[in-house]
Amino acid sequence: NAGVTQTPKFQVLKTGQSMTLQCAQDMNHEYMSWYRQDPGMGLRLIHYSVGAGITDQGEVPNGYNVSRSTTEDFPLRLLSAAPSQTSVYFCASRERGSSSGRARSADTQYFGPGTRLTVL
Amino acid sequence: GDSVTQMEGPVTLSEEAFLTINCTYTATGYPSLFWYVQYPGEGLQLLLKATKADDKGSNKGFEATYRKETTSFHLEKGSVQVSDSAVYFCALKSGNKLIFGAGTRLAVHP
């Protein structure tokens, strides 16, 4: 298994440009998430998905769009890049939990290696 | 809402020193608690977790105990190594979401 993969690893954009950060997982996980990591602020949730065709907003969704047409892929789109979006972006996935005892084993999130984005 | 507070870094230690990184949380119910580690230039990896009160998570010599009475999940290691230098994140699972602390950078010197 490749786990969670992200492309590109590095990207520089000019203000106003658009781009898509790619994320894919081969573990058949239903849950996928996008986070941004900024110094001193930990990881903040941007958007997440609980399955194909279902997405929802996280803590900091403004300026980003997502879609989930397949279980494997969860791209993050920046519509019009701004310097405030300079950050490191992480994609993550995990199994679907349930109300049974198996739920706890599905708590673990698996992270991709990250995309470092700079907006000038 | 649910939140995680962890001690500010950086924490600088000599090799073989004892490590404690404090983490407290605010949450309704009994969330699962986690410690993730981020080595330089890499993504986050799960270090250990605990899913109910009094559970002790352990891995690679690190331990943390889920303390409901103090709402804490402090990370400890008896003898750190240079290779433990990384950023450590405490986190809790809230519904479908994982809520992270701000991270604590650990630097271990020979």
Side-chain angles (χ1 to χ4, degrees):
Chain A
N1 284 353
V4 180
T5 58
Q6 292 182 237
T7 56
K9 294 197 72 171
F10 302 95
Q11 183 70 50
V12 178
L13 294 177
K14 295 180 179 178
T15 296
Q17 287 184 313
S18 63
M19 80 158 294
T20 299
L21 279 62
Q22 302 292 342
C23 174
Q25 53 91 10
D26 60 358
M27 298 174 282
N28 202 33
H29 287 171
E30 293 200 351
Y31 288 178
M32 296 186 74
S33 309
W34 275 103
Y35 296 85
R36 59 178 288 173
Q37 182 181 25
D38 301 294
M41 302 187 74
L43 276 75
R44 292 182 292 169
L45 182 64
I46 304 171
H47 285 284
Y48 65 100
S49 169
V50 299
I54 306 170
T55 63
D56 206 348
Q57 295 182 350
E59 183 184 355
V60 287
N62 292 342
Y64 307 94
N65 276 359
V66 292
S67 60
R68 186 93 180 273
S69 56
T70 67
T71 299
E72 294 78 19
D73 300 299
F74 191 43
L76 177 72
R77 297 183 187 85
L78 281 70
L79 306 174
S80 178
S84 61
Q85 293 178 304
T86 293
S87 187
V88 181
Y89 292 84
F90 289 100
C91 180
S93 73
R94 69 173 175 86
E95 295 177 15
R96 177 183 180 183
S98 74
S99 58
S100 73
R102 284 185 62 249
R104 297 302 191 182
S105 67
D107 283 345
T108 303
Q109 290 219 32
Y110 296 85
F111 284 82
T115 295
R116 184 175 294 276
L117 175 68
T118 301
V119 183
L120 303 175
Chain B
D2 295 352
S3 65
V4 175
T5 302
Q6 58 182 108
M7 63 186 289
E8 290 187 22
V11 174
T12 303
L13 295 174
S14 298
E15 206 165 24
E16 300 184 0
F18 184 86
L19 168 70
T20 300
I21 300 178
N22 290 339
C23 171
T24 58
Y25 67 91
T26 301
T28 55
Y30 304 100
S32 294
L33 301 174
F34 307 83
W35 277 101
Y36 279 84
V37 59
Q38 184 181 30
Y39 297 103
E42 298 183 10
L44 277 72
Q45 305 172 24
L46 179 67
L47 179 60
L48 54 84
K49 68 179 182 181
T51 59
K52 60 183 187 296
D54 299 324
D55 264 4
K56 177 184 285 188
S58 61
N59 186 27
K60 299 181 180 181
F62 291 89
E63 293 184 340
T65 302
Y66 191 143
R67 301 286 189 200
K68 183 170 71 72
E69 63 276 12
T70 55
T71 62
S72 65
F73 193 55
H74 304 323
L75 182 68
E76 296 182 336
K77 186 173 185 181
S79 177
V80 293
Q81 305 300 312
V82 172
S83 57
D84 294 327
S85 298
V87 181
Y88 293 82
F89 292 92
C90 185
L92 67 82
K93 183 170 176 285
S94 177
N96 290 325
K97 305 172 188 177
L98 202 61
I99 296 174
F100 287 88
T104 301
R105 183 175 299 278
L106 170 66
V108 181
H109 298 291

